[in-house]
Amino acid sequence: MDAGVRQKRVEALELIKDKALGMAKEGRDSLEVRDFVTNAKKELAYELPDEEAFNKAVRATQAYQRKKQK
């Protein structure tokens, strides 16, 4: 992931955090706050995917599957 995309991702995560903290201060239900964070992070993953993390997860899954078959 290049530096520009990484910076945008960090900024988006900061905005998600700030919004979640604001919701908590307003007295929103913790489940509602958690759902907001989960959904916002999913949307972020679609908008700014981290291909390095994805490839690492794929390799780990493949290694596990190979080990399991032996």
Side-chain angles (χ1 to χ4, degrees):
M1 178 181 302
D2 69 351
V5 173
R6 187 173 304 276
Q7 181 62 32
K8 287 179 184 178
R9 192 167 171 79
V10 168
E11 290 171 0
L13 288 170
E14 287 289 329
L15 290 173
I16 292 169
K17 180 188 83 169
D18 292 343
K19 174 73 174 174
L21 289 174
M23 291 171 71
K25 287 180 183 176
E26 291 173 2
R28 301 269 184 101
D29 183 21
S30 62
L31 181 60
E32 184 179 354
V33 175
R34 185 177 64 194
D35 284 345
F36 164 75
V37 171
T38 301
N39 291 333
K41 287 172 61 178
K42 283 181 185 177
E43 287 180 31
L44 177 61
Y46 283 112
E47 292 175 19
L48 298 171
D50 187 351
E51 292 183 22
E52 292 172 19
F54 173 77
N55 290 331
K56 184 177 178 182
V58 168
R59 286 192 304 272
T61 302
Q62 289 171 340
Y64 173 76
Q65 291 295 330
R66 282 192 301 271
K67 189 175 184 180
K68 187 177 172 183
Q69 290 176 351
K70 290 182 180 181

